Amino acid sequence: MLSQSPRLDVIAAVESVQDFSRVPLGAEGLDAILFGPPVREDEMEGESSVQTVAHLAACAPVLVVSEFSRPTRVLDTVRAGALGCVTGQVDDDELLRAVDTVVAGGFHLAPTLAPRMHAELREPTGAEPRTLARRELEALRLLAEGLTHSQIGRRMGLTEATVSTYVKRIRTKLNVGNKADLTRTAIELGLLREAGTAPARAAAPVRGTGRTRSLLLGKE
């Protein structure tokens, strides 16, 4: 249905996030990513679905197609960077509208998910969890070790612009503003020893998650 739309060009469809890294995106990159996490959270390997959203959102705007069964919450998905959330029962017209909205930088929430998100907003707030994706943890560790954005990009196989996006997202999630605070946070998370030289084992680079139903979209 998406490939038949005159406004969209489906670049690729992959079954896992691990396959996403092998897709040749070209110089123009992506305008949007459709991410369909497994129905059950325990089917994910490594990252949670929310962490995967954060990982993908560093590459392009993300529209999530999910039933949002617990423990996955709509609010956590949005906070991770998703610009759109719909259920698997979305009709063709709404899905196309959602894609157009996300590509344009807007936000789309399926009407059926609005009551759930409203209820989540009314839940008692506690300390916000530090949910960094594994690639963000890796970038934070290298940044705290003193590497520049360009050096981090070469080490991680990313462009300097993508690294800058990672760092902005890390600062927002951790609510920190300067290099000293980032380094201190890296130590608190066990990514660095006090000397700031050796990474902890928890800072393993990201690997693929469980099987998904992801579509990578680009406008013609």
Side-chain angles (χ1 to χ4, degrees):
M1 183 271 291
L2 292 170
S3 64
Q4 291 174 356
S5 169
R7 304 191 304 273
L8 297 172
D9 178 26
V10 179
I11 296 174
V14 299
E15 291 186 343
S16 72
V17 176
Q18 185 176 19
D19 294 334
F20 173 80
S21 62
R22 304 190 186 102
V23 175
L25 303 181
E28 296 182 356
L30 300 172
D31 293 299
I33 299 173
L34 265 68
F35 173 53
V39 175
R40 294 176 51 186
E41 189 72 19
D42 57 11
E43 294 178 7
M44 301 288 292
E45 297 177 3
E47 292 183 332
S48 68
S49 59
V50 170
Q51 289 173 321
T52 300
V53 168
H55 174 199
L56 295 175
C59 303
V62 176
L63 172 63
V64 179
V65 183
S66 172
E67 301 310 313
F68 295 96
S69 302
R70 289 193 176 276
T72 303
R73 304 196 315 163
V74 179
L75 188 57
D76 291 339
T77 303
V78 173
R79 283 175 172 164
L83 289 184
C85 297
V86 297
T87 69
Q89 285 71 48
V90 62
D91 60 41
D92 294 358
D93 290 339
E94 184 184 354
L95 183 58
L96 286 173
R97 288 197 305 272
V99 171
D100 286 340
T101 299
V102 168
V103 169
F107 178 77
H108 182 96
L109 181 68
T112 55
L113 293 175
R116 187 180 306 182
M117 186 171 180
H118 185 254
E120 291 170 359
L121 285 167
R122 295 174 61 186
E123 292 175 358
T125 58
E128 288 295 326
R130 292 174 170 178
T131 54
L132 294 183
R134 290 188 179 184
R135 293 283 272 181
E136 292 171 336
L137 288 170
E138 185 179 3
L140 173 59
R141 174 176 64 81
L142 295 174
L143 187 69
E145 288 180 355
L147 275 66
T148 66
H149 289 196
S150 178
Q151 291 169 330
I152 294 172
R154 288 195 296 270
R155 184 77 65 87
M156 297 178 63
L158 302 171
T159 66
E160 186 172 349
T162 299
V163 173
S164 296
T165 300
Y166 274 30
V167 173
K168 288 178 183 178
R169 192 175 299 278
I170 291 168
R171 291 181 188 276
T172 299
K173 287 185 177 182
L174 301 182
N175 193 28
V176 296
N178 56 49
K179 178 71 175 295
D181 288 338
L182 283 173
T183 301
R184 182 166 53 253
T185 302
I187 294 173
E188 292 174 355
L189 294 176
L191 303 179
L192 297 175
R193 296 197 176 117
E194 290 293 338
T197 54
R201 288 187 179 181
V206 69
R207 294 293 182 265
T209 63
R211 295 176 69 83
T212 64
R213 305 178 302 282
S214 300
L215 289 175
L216 317 182
L217 303 180
K219 292 185 295 184
E220 288 185 327

